[in-house]
Amino acid sequence: MLPRALEKHVAIDIGAVTERNKKATAAQIIESPGPKDVIAETHIDRQAIIDAIRSYKMEKANGLGLVYIVDRFVEARFIGAGNERTGVAQKYKSPAAGAVYIVFFDVASREVISMERFVETVNSGANFRNSGLG
């Protein structure tokens, strides 16, 4: 039996995020990365996240909000060619990775309570879905 404090109702309210995601464009995708397009870099600052949270038009009036803000996915950077005859894969200089900000906020005030950037790498034949970021 759960303690009373843990018996809270979880409401899904994704309308505000869905509306914001509709504004994403293909221009935001960089297909030919440059030297600064690495997982350690970010183009999102704290104020941008605060502004995004404040812009949400939510159905719920109060509670604790949680949103994942995707920063970037970076493909593996390969050096050398693979060997099809032996099945040896290419060696990579850096693995594929994804970075996501996990943000908790007060729904009523839109005040950010916690904001942390998490990075997950994919070192094998797995994909982002299996890494925990997808």
Side-chain angles (χ1 to χ4, degrees):
M1 185 169 209
L2 288 174
R4 186 152 178 82
L6 295 178
E7 294 179 0
K8 301 292 181 184
H9 176 72
V10 176
I12 298 171
D13 186 358
I14 62 171
V17 176
T18 301
E19 283 304 310
R20 189 166 179 95
N21 288 345
K22 286 180 183 177
K23 296 176 184 175
T25 68
Q28 293 171 287
I29 300 170
I30 301 170
E31 293 190 36
S32 299
K36 287 227 173 226
D37 293 319
V38 295
I39 203 67
E41 299 287 330
T42 183
H43 66 283
I44 302 174
D45 64 17
R46 181 174 180 79
Q47 190 60 49
I49 292 174
I50 291 169
D51 292 345
I53 300 298
R54 288 182 181 158
S55 77
Y56 293 161
K57 292 176 179 66
M58 303 187 66
E59 295 176 20
K60 306 301 174 201
N62 58 35
L64 179 66
L66 165 65
V67 66
Y68 294 88
I69 298 179
V70 175
D71 182 359
R72 61 184 50 215
F73 292 118
V74 176
E75 291 182 318
R77 304 276 170 87
F78 294 100
I79 53 174
N83 186 328
E84 291 178 19
R85 184 176 55 80
T86 63
V88 175
Q90 292 177 320
K91 293 182 180 180
Y92 58 85
K93 188 164 94 177
S94 61
V100 176
Y101 285 92
I102 299 177
V103 184
F104 286 95
F105 63 96
D106 179 88
V107 171
S109 68
R110 300 299 195 280
E111 178 185 346
V112 172
I113 297 167
S114 172
M115 172 188 330
E116 191 165 348
R117 185 175 188 260
F118 287 87
V119 175
E120 187 71 32
T121 59
V122 179
N123 293 314
S124 68
N127 57 34
F128 286 110
R129 180 181 55 97
N130 295 337
S131 72
L133 290 178

